[in-house]
Amino acid sequence: MAMDIREEIPLAQRQRLVAFAHELLAESRRVIAQALAYGFSVEHKPDGSYLTSADVAVEARLRVLIAARFPDHGIIGEEGSAIRPAAALQWIMDPIDGTEDFVHRLPTFGTILGLHYRGAPLVGAVDHPLLDLRLTAAYGLGSSRNRDPVRLGDIENAVPDQAIRMMLSARANFTRHEDRGSWFDALTRRFPNHRIYRSCYAHACVAGGQADVMVEVGNRIWDLAAARLLVEEAGGRYVPVQDLEVAGVGRVLGAVFGRAGAVERVLRTLAASPMALE
Amino acid sequence: MAMDIREEIPLAQRQRLVAFAHELLAESRRVIAQALAYGFSVEHKPDGSYLTSADVAVEARLRVLIAARFPDHGIIGEEGSAIRPAAALQWIMDPIDGTEDFVHRLPTFGTILGLHYRGAPLVGAVDHPLLDLRLTAAYGLGSSRNRDPVRLGDIENAVPDQAIRMMLSARANFTRHEDRGSWFDALTRRFPNHRIYRSCYAHACVAGGQADVMVEVGNRIWDLAAARLLVEEAGGRYVPVQDLEVAGVGRVLGAVFGRAGAVERVLRTLAASPMALE
């Protein structure tokens, strides 16, 4: 079996990198707390989604900290242009995922952070300041929830579909760049115990075992920067189901992830939907 | 214009009753905190939903407190039989709504509490212990969120559908007792900004103005014990859209509620759906 390319990064360095991710998220919590306490400006992006001065401030601050510590690393963020796109190590961030929740003070917004090595995730984290909830993982070092180790058990075949706790993107995500609405319709019919939360919090629920499986479609790379590693390091499964280049937008991604048996069941449902036949 | 029957209860008594609701919810928080700290048993009801010793303990404790203070009031609760069903004043409670979230330590579970006078809501409250979030309302006394007054502004006609922040029941609720799945399908297509949370937390979001409208179908009376008053006292609108008697289950209810303009828009969508033609 071929060595995983991520073994090229020594264990001790991976430990230092995940410690640095904790430093970054402590700083993003400070910037977010200041914005909530002293106010922030709100505008709308061309696609109708929210952008606040807090999103911009968090990303700017994390970019400064990364550049100061690791001047040769690349940076990809939702609110700025890519820095050093050819670097082997790339920090990928969504400074505030669920900005609309942040604007309306719903505590389910959060920061998504990933560090990828030649395209493979090395460190991943999602952080929810108002819920005091942080999930982190590093390649080969396992996954943790507020520093407690997480293991995702499997789902037995005997567990009925209605007992599967499923997280979904909103239906609009399934149709935004290509029409996979039939997937949404099939999933909401077959799995009655479904919920639709913001990406970041839904990822935290699945990676922490509070939900069994998530189906994400129509996402950008920063939305999914942490999910794969969080789930795989906890013993779960992550399967890409969408990867397309959209003119004027960029790369659009989808994935199914969570407990292995639940992921299997979802993949069978998607394979049986009309979309998969095209 | 006929006097609202609720004027029969003097203002000072309504104030005492809402103060008592705060006492009850302070007690439910204590019982829930004890359960989270020291553990609780979990079983499944015949319909597959969760029941814990904490649900039972909260309801039992609130029943004792109500009976001690108001021995002539009726009590309806999810986890016990109705007491004094002929009484004019009826306390209605769901001790833990979103028990599955409670079991998995998702902070979006909560307690729903209502006091109805001859069928009309007089006091209503939803309480989320882990989010330190409580919404309360009393007839003629307004609605508050953690004791701050709430006013729900309208939605202008110029606001596009995609900007409407919608909360939905899971699709399974739309088909559980009669098939209104076409409503779910129409709503998730027309209003892309939809989320599916647990009832209690979704009600808190709508009643507090953090979401614009909620569509609830397939609920029991305790699920909706507080929503109408919370929304109406904040200046919003509440419109029943389902009320049927199901053998072996009881009364099943549905409603659309939130900012008036958003409720209007949803009602038009439902009216245009195939279900409404039957």
Side-chain angles (χ1 to χ4, degrees):
Chain A
M1 187 172 140
M3 190 185 79
D4 191 300
I5 193 175
R6 293 171 288 186
E7 300 286 349
E8 293 174 11
I9 310 293
L11 194 69
Q13 192 183 342
R14 281 178 255 153
Q15 285 166 330
R16 280 193 298 273
L17 287 164
V18 75
F20 181 61
H22 279 290
E23 284 179 46
L24 292 175
L25 292 171
E27 184 64 15
S28 66
R29 281 199 188 191
R30 273 191 289 274
V31 176
I32 287 168
Q34 282 171 351
L36 288 172
Y38 302 113
F40 51 87
S41 66
V42 181
E43 47 188 307
H44 287 86
K45 293 197 220 182
D47 68 357
S49 65
Y50 286 88
L51 177 65
T52 76
S53 54
D55 300 72
V56 174
V58 170
E59 182 160 327
R61 184 74 189 127
L62 299 196
R63 282 172 177 260
V64 164
L65 294 177
I66 293 167
R69 184 77 69 95
F70 299 109
D72 56 333
H73 289 192
I75 304 176
I76 297 168
E78 180 166 18
E79 317 305 348
S81 31
I83 305 291
R84 283 173 293 281
L89 284 157
Q90 294 283 340
W91 292 92
I92 305 170
M93 67 178 83
D94 186 348
I96 299 181
D97 180 79
T99 302
E100 183 174 328
D101 285 358
F102 172 74
V103 168
H104 297 288
R105 260 75 171 179
L106 289 170
T108 40
F109 68 87
T111 302
I112 301 176
L113 182 65
L115 174 63
H116 291 196
Y117 177 62
R118 301 194 185 284
L122 195 70
V123 173
V126 293
D127 187 60
H128 296 85
L130 293 188
L131 298 173
D132 188 25
L133 175 64
R134 183 182 299 166
L135 286 99
T136 49
Y139 173 69
L141 292 166
S143 187
S144 59
R145 182 176 188 276
N146 284 353
R147 302 203 184 241
D148 295 325
V150 180
R151 288 302 298 172
L152 298 178
D154 203 355
I155 293 279
E156 303 295 328
N157 287 333
V159 172
D161 286 344
Q162 61 263 35
I164 301 283
R165 294 166 293 153
M166 172 175 285
M167 294 284 184
L168 292 172
S169 306
R171 194 177 192 282
N173 276 55
F174 287 78
T175 59
R176 188 170 293 146
H177 302 295
E178 57 175 356
D179 188 358
R180 300 195 182 205
S182 63
W183 285 6
F184 180 88
D185 298 337
L187 292 167
T188 52
R189 280 165 174 76
R190 177 161 172 194
F191 300 96
N193 193 356
H194 52 263
R195 292 290 176 273
I196 302 179
Y197 289 4
R198 299 283 160 190
S199 287
C200 187
Y201 187 57
H203 297 182
C205 290
V206 173
Q210 297 173 301
D212 298 318
V213 63
M214 168 129 208
V215 185
E216 276 279 30
V217 181
N219 278 277
R220 306 303 311 282
I221 192 169
W222 40 80
D223 296 313
L224 287 165
R228 179 179 153 195
L229 197 69
L230 288 174
V231 166
E232 288 183 345
E233 284 294 322
R237 197 165 163 221
Y238 180 100
V239 179
V241 295
Q242 184 185 43
D243 188 346
L244 63 154
E245 198 63 37
V246 177
V249 174
R251 197 173 165 200
V252 170
L253 301 171
V256 180
F257 52 91
R259 299 182 198 270
V263 170
E264 265 311 320
R265 243 183 256 202
V266 166
L267 293 174
R268 282 198 301 271
T269 303
L270 302 188
S273 88
M275 173 59 44
L277 300 176
E278 285 180 10
Chain B
M1 188 172 141
M3 190 185 78
D4 191 300
I5 193 174
R6 293 172 288 186
E7 300 286 350
E8 293 175 8
I9 310 292
L11 195 68
Q13 193 183 343
R14 282 178 254 152
Q15 286 168 329
R16 280 194 298 273
L17 288 164
V18 75
F20 181 62
H22 279 290
E23 284 178 48
L24 292 175
L25 293 171
E27 185 64 16
S28 67
R29 281 199 189 191
R30 275 190 289 275
V31 177
I32 287 168
Q34 281 173 352
L36 288 171
Y38 302 113
F40 50 86
S41 67
V42 180
E43 47 187 306
H44 286 84
K45 292 198 224 182
D47 68 357
S49 66
Y50 286 88
L51 176 65
T52 76
S53 55
D55 299 73
V56 174
V58 170
E59 181 160 328
R61 184 75 187 127
L62 299 196
R63 282 170 177 261
V64 165
L65 294 176
I66 292 167
R69 182 78 69 95
F70 300 109
D72 56 333
H73 289 192
I75 304 176
I76 297 168
E78 179 165 17
E79 316 305 349
S81 31
I83 305 289
R84 284 174 293 282
L89 284 156
Q90 293 283 339
W91 292 91
I92 305 170
M93 67 178 83
D94 186 348
I96 300 181
D97 179 79
T99 302
E100 182 173 327
D101 285 0
F102 172 75
V103 169
H104 296 290
R105 259 76 168 176
L106 289 169
T108 40
F109 68 86
T111 302
I112 300 176
L113 182 66
L115 174 63
H116 290 196
Y117 177 62
R118 301 196 185 282
L122 196 69
V123 173
V126 293
D127 186 61
H128 296 86
L130 293 188
L131 298 172
D132 189 25
L133 174 64
R134 183 182 301 166
L135 287 99
T136 50
Y139 172 68
L141 292 167
S143 188
S144 58
R145 182 176 188 276
N146 286 352
R147 302 202 183 242
D148 295 326
V150 180
R151 287 303 298 172
L152 299 179
D154 202 356
I155 293 279
E156 303 295 328
N157 287 333
V159 172
D161 286 344
Q162 60 262 37
I164 302 283
R165 295 165 294 152
M166 172 175 285
M167 294 282 182
L168 292 172
S169 306
R171 195 177 191 282
N173 277 55
F174 287 77
T175 59
R176 188 170 292 147
H177 301 296
E178 57 176 356
D179 188 359
R180 301 196 182 204
S182 63
W183 285 6
F184 180 90
D185 298 337
L187 292 166
T188 51
R189 280 164 175 78
R190 176 160 173 197
F191 300 96
N193 194 357
H194 52 263
R195 292 291 176 271
I196 301 178
Y197 289 3
R198 298 285 159 190
S199 287
C200 187
Y201 187 58
H203 297 183
C205 290
V206 173
Q210 298 173 301
D212 298 318
V213 62
M214 167 126 209
V215 185
E216 276 280 29
V217 181
N219 279 276
R220 306 304 310 281
I221 192 170
W222 41 81
D223 296 314
L224 287 165
R228 180 179 152 197
L229 197 68
L230 288 173
V231 167
E232 288 183 345
E233 284 293 322
R237 196 162 165 226
Y238 180 99
V239 178
V241 296
Q242 183 183 44
D243 188 347
L244 63 155
E245 196 64 36
V246 177
V249 174
R251 199 173 164 201
V252 170
L253 302 170
V256 181
F257 51 93
R259 299 181 199 271
V263 170
E264 265 311 319
R265 241 182 260 203
V266 166
L267 292 174
R268 283 199 299 271
T269 304
L270 301 189
S273 86
M275 174 58 45
L277 300 176
E278 285 181 12

